[in-house]
Amino acid sequence: MEFIDYYSVLGVSKNAEPDEIKKAYRKLARQYHPDTNPDPQSNKKFQQINEANEVLSDPDKRSKFDKYGKDWQHGDQFEQAQRQRSQSQPFGGGYSFEGSDDDHFSDFFASLFGGRSRGGKTAASRGQDVNASINLNLSDVFNKHQQTFHINDKNVRITIPAGVENGQIIKLKGYGNPGRGNGPSGDLFITLNVNNNTTYKRTGSDLHLTQEIDMYTALLGGDITLETLHGTIKLKVKPETQNNTKIRLKGKGFPVYKVDDQFGDLFITYHVKLPSNLSEKQKELLKQMKEMDGE
C-alpha cells in the first residue's frame, strides 16, 4: 500500500498544533469538496484530506502514526508482540532497531502479518480459516450420511453424523486457506442449517407430535395408525382418553448425537376433534347421554 504522509496532505509540519491542523483541514476541504469541484482527481484528494484529518485530529491515532508511519494501524499488535517477546527473554531484552526505522518496522510487520522478510523469503504464517454452511432437512439428519461440496478448488466430502443440531459447527482441520512460507493451512468451519421439514417439534433427541383423534375413538377407545421417522406404528387409544392427554413412546424419537443405536423418545399429545354438522338424531342421542349422566 502506498504510504500517505498525512502532514504533507494537510500542508502542516509534524509539530503542528491541533488548531493549526483543524484550520488547514477546513481550508482544503472547502477547496476540494466534490460539490464545488467535480474533477475526479479532486474527489480523491478530498478523501485523502478527510483521512489525514481523521488521524491527525485524534491524539491516539496521531501518536501511532508518528511512531510507526505507514504501519500505524498495526501499532497495537506490534506493541503486544513486543511485550510478549520481552517477557519471553529472561533478562528483559526487547527489540533493538538500528538504521532506518522504516525498514525495521516494515520487516517486523511483514513477518507479523504474513508479508516478506528483509531477506526476501516469505515469512511462515498460518492460512486463514474459512467458514461455510450446508442446508439440510431434519429428515436428512435422522441418518448418518455423506455430503460433498466444492471449496478452495477442492471437492470436500464430509460425513454428517445422525442427530446433529441446527446451527451446529463442524471443524475440518487444514481445509481452510493455504498458509504462506510453508505455514500450515487454516481450518474449515461448516455451519449446519437444519430445516424442520416434518410435523414434529424437536427438543434435543426427543420429538413431540400433536395427533388428532375423533371424539368416538377418544370415548370408546380404538386403534390408530401413525407414520413416524422409524416407520409406521399402530397405537391403541384407551377408552375415555381426555383432550391433551400425552403419551410417551420410548426410543421412537431422534438419534442421540454420535451414540450408535440410541434414540430419544416420542411424545404424542392427543387432540380430540369434536364432530360438526350433527344430525337431529345425533343431537337427540347426545341429549339422552347428558340426561343419563345427570342421574
Side-chain angles (χ1 to χ4, degrees):
M1 181 184 294
E2 180 186 356
F3 173 62
I4 301 175
D5 184 348
Y6 295 138
Y7 292 103
S8 296
V9 170
L10 295 183
V12 297
S13 70
K14 288 190 175 182
N15 299 321
E17 295 294 331
D19 287 344
E20 186 181 349
I21 290 173
K22 184 186 294 185
K23 183 178 179 180
Y25 164 70
R26 288 178 176 175
K27 178 182 177 181
L28 292 171
R30 285 194 299 268
Q31 180 181 347
Y32 290 98
H33 197 285
D35 290 346
T36 58
N37 201 328
D39 183 1
Q41 291 301 318
S42 295
N43 185 52
K44 181 179 179 181
K45 179 71 173 177
F46 181 72
Q47 292 176 353
Q48 289 182 347
I49 292 167
N50 280 323
E51 185 178 330
N53 179 65
E54 181 184 347
V55 173
L56 299 185
S57 63
D58 184 306
D60 183 57
K61 292 179 180 178
R62 182 179 179 180
S63 175
K64 287 185 173 63
F65 180 76
D66 290 343
K67 190 174 183 180
Y68 300 117
K70 69 172 182 281
D71 296 312
W72 72 271
Q73 290 176 302
H74 301 304
D76 289 338
Q77 292 98 315
F78 170 76
E79 290 171 0
Q80 181 181 1
Q82 189 178 34
R83 285 193 297 270
Q84 292 172 346
R85 177 71 66 88
S86 224
Q87 291 168 0
S88 69
Q89 297 182 4
F91 301 104
Y95 290 105
S96 175
F97 293 126
E98 298 178 359
S100 168
D101 285 344
D102 186 63
D103 287 343
H104 286 293
F105 283 136
S106 296
D107 287 346
F108 175 78
F109 281 111
S111 63
L112 187 61
F113 299 107
R116 293 184 176 273
S117 64
R118 291 182 68 189
K121 296 180 180 179
T122 302
S125 62
R126 182 179 178 276
Q128 289 186 332
D129 293 334
V130 174
N131 294 296
S133 62
I134 296 179
N135 296 321
L136 302 164
N137 286 323
L138 188 64
S139 57
D140 296 330
V141 296
F142 184 77
N143 297 296
K144 180 170 71 173
H145 68 286
Q146 291 186 329
Q147 287 271 340
T148 302
F149 61 99
H150 190 75
I151 192 165
N152 276 351
D153 297 324
K154 297 184 214 174
N155 283 323
V156 180
R157 174 184 280 185
I158 63 172
T159 298
I160 307 292
V164 296
E165 295 273 359
N166 179 45
Q168 190 167 334
I169 297 176
I170 293 177
K171 173 184 174 182
L172 296 183
K173 187 174 178 61
Y175 277 84
N177 288 334
R180 302 179 66 179
N182 294 321
S185 296
D187 299 329
L188 173 60
F189 293 88
I190 305 171
T191 301
L192 305 178
N193 300 319
V194 181
N195 169 58
N196 189 349
N197 64 325
T198 73
T199 56
Y200 299 99
K201 179 182 177 182
R202 180 186 180 189
T203 306
S205 57
D206 291 333
L207 295 175
H208 300 263
L209 177 70
T210 298
Q211 177 63 34
E212 191 174 87
I213 58 175
D214 59 60
M215 183 186 71
Y216 310 108
T217 302
L219 290 173
L220 303 174
D223 294 332
I224 63 170
T225 300
L226 189 66
E227 295 294 333
T228 73
L229 295 175
H230 294 263
T232 303
I233 60 175
K234 181 179 282 189
L235 292 178
K236 188 174 290 293
V237 180
K238 294 181 179 179
E240 302 179 13
T241 293
Q242 300 298 306
N243 189 43
N244 292 326
T245 295
K246 182 182 289 186
I247 65 169
R248 173 188 176 196
L249 301 181
K250 188 173 176 60
K252 295 299 182 180
F254 215 67
V256 177
Y257 179 63
K258 285 195 171 180
V259 180
D260 291 340
D261 300 322
Q262 186 170 330
F263 298 85
D265 300 330
L266 172 59
F267 295 88
I268 299 175
T269 300
Y270 288 127
H271 175 71
V272 180
K273 183 180 180 182
L274 298 178
S276 58
N277 300 321
L278 295 174
S279 66
E280 291 301 320
K281 185 175 182 179
Q282 288 174 316
K283 292 178 182 179
E284 184 61 33
L285 289 172
L286 288 172
K287 288 178 183 179
Q288 292 177 19
M289 288 179 61
K290 179 179 179 182
E291 292 171 357
M292 292 172 63
D293 193 47
E295 291 180 354

